[in-house]
Structures are given as C-alpha cells and as structure tokens.
Amino acid sequence: MRAASATAVAFDTLRFVRTLRDKAKMSSEQAEGLADAIAEAIQNDLATKTDIAAVRTDIEALRLSTKSEIEALQLANKADLAETKAEIVTWMLGAIGFRALVIVGGSVALARGLH
C-alpha cells in the first residue's frame, strides 16, 4: 500500500483501507487494491505546480504571439488603406480632369459654332 503524495490531494490510504475492512467487511487485499487504485487516479488527474507554470508560460507565449500578429495586421491594413486612398484620389482627379476637358471642349465647339 502507498501513501498519497504530499504535493497532491491529502488522501489517507491507510485510513481508507481500515474503513473498508471494518465497515464494508472487505478483505485486506481488496481494500488495499481499491485504495491504491483511487490514490493513483487522484494523483494522475491533478496538475502539479510545474504543470500550471508550464501552462502559464504557454499562455503568455501565445498572448505575445497573438499581439504581434495583430500589430502586423494593423500595419498591413493601414498600408492597404493608404493605397486605397491614393487610388481614390487618382480616380477623382482623373474624373475632374476629364470633366474639365469635356467642358473646355464643349465651350470651344460652341464658340466655333457661334462664329
């Protein structure tokens, strides 16, 4: 029979075995086997301080990675927006220039037609 680790949950296997023998009328072998199985299950399912520290480290690494990816996307979006603005200005100036050309051409044609 083994005792539960002090770093895990306090599980008194000896007391558990005695209770099973005295109250449930189990044999010593059955009670010890059950106590060992329960103690092992409890210990295997618990996270240690080292496990928790490793998860915290992983979370922090993911946080920093995600933050840098978001910043990169923001910069890319700003560049795309600036490029789009430049294209809009170019189209607008082109449209204004075309309109001015049409107006001047129309005025010249009208002036020639009146002479």
Side-chain angles (χ1 to χ4, degrees):
M1 175 177 26
R2 65 182 177 87
S5 170
T7 58
V9 167
F11 179 66
D12 187 349
T13 55
L14 181 58
R15 182 175 173 192
F16 186 68
V17 167
R18 286 180 183 157
T19 301
L20 291 175
R21 276 193 328 229
D22 297 344
K23 293 186 179 179
K25 304 300 180 200
M26 286 185 149
S27 69
S28 292
E29 293 81 20
Q30 289 174 324
E32 288 174 13
L34 185 58
D36 285 345
I38 290 174
E40 185 176 329
I42 289 172
Q43 240 178 343
N44 289 340
D45 289 340
L46 293 178
T48 64
K49 288 181 181 181
T50 304
D51 295 334
I52 293 169
V55 169
R56 284 185 176 152
T57 301
D58 291 346
I59 290 170
E60 181 62 15
L62 285 172
R63 187 187 71 78
L64 293 174
S65 172
T66 302
K67 181 179 178 183
S68 66
E69 289 173 9
I70 288 171
E71 289 170 353
L73 287 171
Q74 287 173 334
L75 289 175
N77 284 342
K78 284 181 183 179
D80 289 345
L81 184 58
E83 183 180 332
T84 302
K85 284 180 181 179
E87 289 176 12
I88 290 171
V89 168
T90 301
W91 279 98
M92 286 178 64
L93 291 176
I96 291 170
F98 180 72
R99 284 184 182 168
L101 185 60
V102 167
I103 291 170
V104 170
S107 297
V108 169
L110 185 60
R112 284 187 184 168
L114 290 176
H115 283 96

